[in-house]
Amino acid sequence: MNPYIIEEFENGLLVFKINRPEKRNAISYEVMDGLEIALQKAGEKSVKALAITGEGNQAFCSGGDLSSFHSLKTEDEAFGMLSRMAGLLKEILFLPKPTIAILNGAAVGGGCELAAACDYRIANAGIKAGFIQGTLAITTGWGGGSIIMEKMLPANAMRMLMEAKLYSDEELKELGFIHSVFEGDPIEGCKSFLERMLMLESEVLEAYKSLLVKKWAAAGLEERIDQEVRRCSVLWEGEAHHNKVDSFLNNP
């Protein structure tokens, strides 16, 4: 089974779907490969917006695949994986077109970081999401902490990061993490949310997105993400992190 699906719709919507429901749509190196392809395709003139979602109704993305990444033990080994995914999140952030995360199910840890990189986040009623990295004795490692500091009220962002727990859809909307809650088919929910935007010309959407990109560039967001990745790499090497992951894998 292909670990990802890329589909383009007539209205200019490009959808990247993580297709690993048996792994709660966890990020693997193959999923990263797919994201690179989707981002390349998103640059085509026919594409007006990029949406990211997961297969099924259980999980949007459960973060990095621990069974794959737990073999990374040292700071340098962790940095290679973390910096690659952070690079993809930066591409999503700075993509000159609107992006939207469709939370069809739970978004956990790195899944929240992936969602945070998108301009908009919509969620199926009843989902839960949270930055639970702290429970594994690490921080956000793909740049998600720096990203939500730009996109949410700082106090709310700090709360989500430091509480390291899952929140309900109502709480996520109150915190400002998600913009809208839908019921039913995720793609239809996305089309409804973006309906008026997709009526406009690509050049108009790109011009408005460029205002945001320039703001982030001036604020040094890219450099802050790089520093965040490096700090997480240091914590990744620590005994506390490896013990927590061992415990999680042995007692899921």
PDB file of all heavy atoms in Angstrom, residues 17-31:
ATOM      1  N   LYS A  17      -2.566  13.130   1.198  1.00  0.00           N
ATOM      2  CA  LYS A  17      -3.146  12.302   2.260  1.00  0.00           C
ATOM      3  C   LYS A  17      -2.117  11.267   2.726  1.00  0.00           C
ATOM      4  O   LYS A  17      -1.569  10.513   1.924  1.00  0.00           O
ATOM      5  CB  LYS A  17      -4.401  11.585   1.753  1.00  0.00           C
ATOM      6  CG  LYS A  17      -5.082  10.703   2.794  1.00  0.00           C
ATOM      7  CD  LYS A  17      -6.276   9.962   2.204  1.00  0.00           C
ATOM      8  CE  LYS A  17      -7.427  10.902   1.917  1.00  0.00           C
ATOM      9  NZ  LYS A  17      -8.630  10.147   1.458  1.00  0.00           N
ATOM     10  N   ILE A  18      -1.850  11.250   4.040  1.00  0.00           N
ATOM     11  CA  ILE A  18      -1.010  10.201   4.614  1.00  0.00           C
ATOM     12  C   ILE A  18      -1.843   8.925   4.653  1.00  0.00           C
ATOM     13  O   ILE A  18      -2.925   8.906   5.243  1.00  0.00           O
ATOM     14  CB  ILE A  18      -0.532  10.574   6.028  1.00  0.00           C
ATOM     15  CG1 ILE A  18       0.183  11.929   6.024  1.00  0.00           C
ATOM     16  CG2 ILE A  18       0.403   9.491   6.579  1.00  0.00           C
ATOM     17  CD1 ILE A  18       0.500  12.456   7.413  1.00  0.00           C
ATOM     18  N   ASN A  19      -1.336   7.877   4.022  1.00  0.00           N
ATOM     19  CA  ASN A  19      -2.129   6.655   3.854  1.00  0.00           C
ATOM     20  C   ASN A  19      -1.529   5.498   4.655  1.00  0.00           C
ATOM     21  O   ASN A  19      -1.164   4.460   4.129  1.00  0.00           O
ATOM     22  CB  ASN A  19      -2.193   6.301   2.360  1.00  0.00           C
ATOM     23  CG  ASN A  19      -3.158   5.170   2.069  1.00  0.00           C
ATOM     24  OD1 ASN A  19      -4.182   5.034   2.734  1.00  0.00           O
ATOM     25  ND2 ASN A  19      -2.844   4.363   1.070  1.00  0.00           N
ATOM     26  N   ARG A  20      -1.436   5.712   5.982  1.00  0.00           N
ATOM     27  CA  ARG A  20      -0.905   4.681   6.875  1.00  0.00           C
ATOM     28  C   ARG A  20      -1.853   4.508   8.078  1.00  0.00           C
ATOM     29  O   ARG A  20      -1.441   4.654   9.234  1.00  0.00           O
ATOM     30  CB  ARG A  20       0.494   5.047   7.361  1.00  0.00           C
ATOM     31  CG  ARG A  20       1.502   5.328   6.265  1.00  0.00           C
ATOM     32  CD  ARG A  20       2.880   5.610   6.849  1.00  0.00           C
ATOM     33  NE  ARG A  20       3.515   4.376   7.319  1.00  0.00           N
ATOM     34  CZ  ARG A  20       4.347   4.307   8.360  1.00  0.00           C
ATOM     35  NH1 ARG A  20       4.621   5.394   9.077  1.00  0.00           N
ATOM     36  NH2 ARG A  20       4.905   3.159   8.699  1.00  0.00           N
ATOM     37  N   PRO A  21      -3.140   4.221   7.818  1.00  0.00           N
ATOM     38  CA  PRO A  21      -4.086   4.151   8.939  1.00  0.00           C
ATOM     39  C   PRO A  21      -3.707   3.106   9.977  1.00  0.00           C
ATOM     40  O   PRO A  21      -4.002   3.271  11.166  1.00  0.00           O
ATOM     41  CB  PRO A  21      -5.414   3.808   8.247  1.00  0.00           C
ATOM     42  CG  PRO A  21      -5.018   3.201   6.935  1.00  0.00           C
ATOM     43  CD  PRO A  21      -3.774   3.908   6.529  1.00  0.00           C
ATOM     44  N   GLU A  22      -3.021   2.031   9.548  1.00  0.00           N
ATOM     45  CA  GLU A  22      -2.610   0.992  10.493  1.00  0.00           C
ATOM     46  C   GLU A  22      -1.529   1.486  11.455  1.00  0.00           C
ATOM     47  O   GLU A  22      -1.296   0.897  12.510  1.00  0.00           O
ATOM     48  CB  GLU A  22      -2.118  -0.246   9.729  1.00  0.00           C
ATOM     49  CG  GLU A  22      -0.717  -0.157   9.138  1.00  0.00           C
ATOM     50  CD  GLU A  22      -0.589   0.769   7.922  1.00  0.00           C
ATOM     51  OE1 GLU A  22      -1.625   1.285   7.439  1.00  0.00           O
ATOM     52  OE2 GLU A  22       0.548   0.972   7.463  1.00  0.00           O
ATOM     53  N   LYS A  23      -0.867   2.587  11.098  1.00  0.00           N
ATOM     54  CA  LYS A  23       0.153   3.217  11.946  1.00  0.00           C
ATOM     55  C   LYS A  23      -0.326   4.574  12.460  1.00  0.00           C
ATOM     56  O   LYS A  23       0.470   5.415  12.849  1.00  0.00           O
ATOM     57  CB  LYS A  23       1.454   3.417  11.152  1.00  0.00           C
ATOM     58  CG  LYS A  23       2.176   2.134  10.802  1.00  0.00           C
ATOM     59  CD  LYS A  23       2.955   1.600  11.982  1.00  0.00           C
ATOM     60  CE  LYS A  23       3.895   0.481  11.583  1.00  0.00           C
ATOM     61  NZ  LYS A  23       4.686  -0.012  12.737  1.00  0.00           N
ATOM     62  N   ARG A  24      -1.635   4.760  12.457  1.00  0.00           N
ATOM     63  CA  ARG A  24      -2.247   6.032  12.851  1.00  0.00           C
ATOM     64  C   ARG A  24      -1.631   7.203  12.073  1.00  0.00           C
ATOM     65  O   ARG A  24      -1.419   8.290  12.582  1.00  0.00           O
ATOM     66  CB  ARG A  24      -2.131   6.254  14.368  1.00  0.00           C
ATOM     67  CG  ARG A  24      -2.939   5.227  15.168  1.00  0.00           C
ATOM     68  CD  ARG A  24      -2.966   5.503  16.643  1.00  0.00           C
ATOM     69  NE  ARG A  24      -3.626   6.756  16.989  1.00  0.00           N
ATOM     70  CZ  ARG A  24      -4.956   6.933  17.033  1.00  0.00           C
ATOM     71  NH1 ARG A  24      -5.769   5.951  16.747  1.00  0.00           N
ATOM     72  NH2 ARG A  24      -5.450   8.118  17.367  1.00  0.00           N
ATOM     73  N   ASN A  25      -1.352   6.910  10.797  1.00  0.00           N
ATOM     74  CA  ASN A  25      -0.816   7.907   9.852  1.00  0.00           C
ATOM     75  C   ASN A  25       0.451   8.589  10.372  1.00  0.00           C
ATOM     76  O   ASN A  25       0.638   9.804  10.220  1.00  0.00           O
ATOM     77  CB  ASN A  25      -1.897   8.936   9.497  1.00  0.00           C
ATOM     78  CG  ASN A  25      -3.042   8.303   8.725  1.00  0.00           C
ATOM     79  OD1 ASN A  25      -2.841   7.446   7.881  1.00  0.00           O
ATOM     80  ND2 ASN A  25      -4.268   8.711   9.021  1.00  0.00           N
ATOM     81  N   ALA A  26       1.320   7.789  10.975  1.00  0.00           N
ATOM     82  CA  ALA A  26       2.598   8.296  11.468  1.00  0.00           C
ATOM     83  C   ALA A  26       3.520   8.648  10.299  1.00  0.00           C
ATOM     84  O   ALA A  26       3.461   8.035   9.233  1.00  0.00           O
ATOM     85  CB  ALA A  26       3.261   7.262  12.369  1.00  0.00           C
ATOM     86  N   ILE A  27       4.387   9.622  10.531  1.00  0.00           N
ATOM     87  CA  ILE A  27       5.338  10.070   9.514  1.00  0.00           C
ATOM     88  C   ILE A  27       6.508   9.090   9.426  1.00  0.00           C
ATOM     89  O   ILE A  27       7.148   8.775  10.431  1.00  0.00           O
ATOM     90  CB  ILE A  27       5.894  11.469   9.843  1.00  0.00           C
ATOM     91  CG1 ILE A  27       4.760  12.509   9.911  1.00  0.00           C
ATOM     92  CG2 ILE A  27       6.961  11.888   8.834  1.00  0.00           C
ATOM     93  CD1 ILE A  27       4.165  12.877   8.590  1.00  0.00           C
ATOM     94  N   SER A  28       6.777   8.628   8.209  1.00  0.00           N
ATOM     95  CA  SER A  28       7.939   7.794   7.919  1.00  0.00           C
ATOM     96  C   SER A  28       8.783   8.527   6.882  1.00  0.00           C
ATOM     97  O   SER A  28       8.377   9.558   6.347  1.00  0.00           O
ATOM     98  CB  SER A  28       7.497   6.437   7.368  1.00  0.00           C
ATOM     99  OG  SER A  28       6.809   6.612   6.125  1.00  0.00           O
ATOM    100  N   TYR A  29       9.933   7.976   6.559  1.00  0.00           N
ATOM    101  CA  TYR A  29      10.754   8.590   5.518  1.00  0.00           C
ATOM    102  C   TYR A  29      10.029   8.579   4.174  1.00  0.00           C
ATOM    103  O   TYR A  29      10.178   9.502   3.370  1.00  0.00           O
ATOM    104  CB  TYR A  29      12.105   7.873   5.406  1.00  0.00           C
ATOM    105  CG  TYR A  29      13.019   8.106   6.588  1.00  0.00           C
ATOM    106  CD1 TYR A  29      13.352   7.065   7.456  1.00  0.00           C
ATOM    107  CD2 TYR A  29      13.529   9.378   6.863  1.00  0.00           C
ATOM    108  CE1 TYR A  29      14.180   7.278   8.548  1.00  0.00           C
ATOM    109  CE2 TYR A  29      14.362   9.599   7.958  1.00  0.00           C
ATOM    110  CZ  TYR A  29      14.682   8.550   8.792  1.00  0.00           C
ATOM    111  OH  TYR A  29      15.497   8.768   9.878  1.00  0.00           O
ATOM    112  N   GLU A  30       9.214   7.539   3.939  1.00  0.00           N
ATOM    113  CA  GLU A  30       8.461   7.459   2.683  1.00  0.00           C
ATOM    114  C   GLU A  30       7.391   8.550   2.611  1.00  0.00           C
ATOM    115  O   GLU A  30       7.136   9.111   1.543  1.00  0.00           O
ATOM    116  CB  GLU A  30       7.809   6.073   2.541  1.00  0.00           C
ATOM    117  CG  GLU A  30       8.772   4.921   2.335  1.00  0.00           C
ATOM    118  CD  GLU A  30       9.513   4.514   3.602  1.00  0.00           C
ATOM    119  OE1 GLU A  30       9.021   4.831   4.716  1.00  0.00           O
ATOM    120  OE2 GLU A  30      10.581   3.876   3.480  1.00  0.00           O
ATOM    121  N   VAL A  31       6.778   8.857   3.754  1.00  0.00           N
ATOM    122  CA  VAL A  31       5.796   9.953   3.794  1.00  0.00           C
ATOM    123  C   VAL A  31       6.503  11.282   3.507  1.00  0.00           C
ATOM    124  O   VAL A  31       5.973  12.143   2.799  1.00  0.00           O
ATOM    125  CB  VAL A  31       5.054   9.989   5.145  1.00  0.00           C
ATOM    126  CG1 VAL A  31       4.177  11.237   5.241  1.00  0.00           C
ATOM    127  CG2 VAL A  31       4.205   8.731   5.311  1.00  0.00           C
TER     128      VAL A  31
END
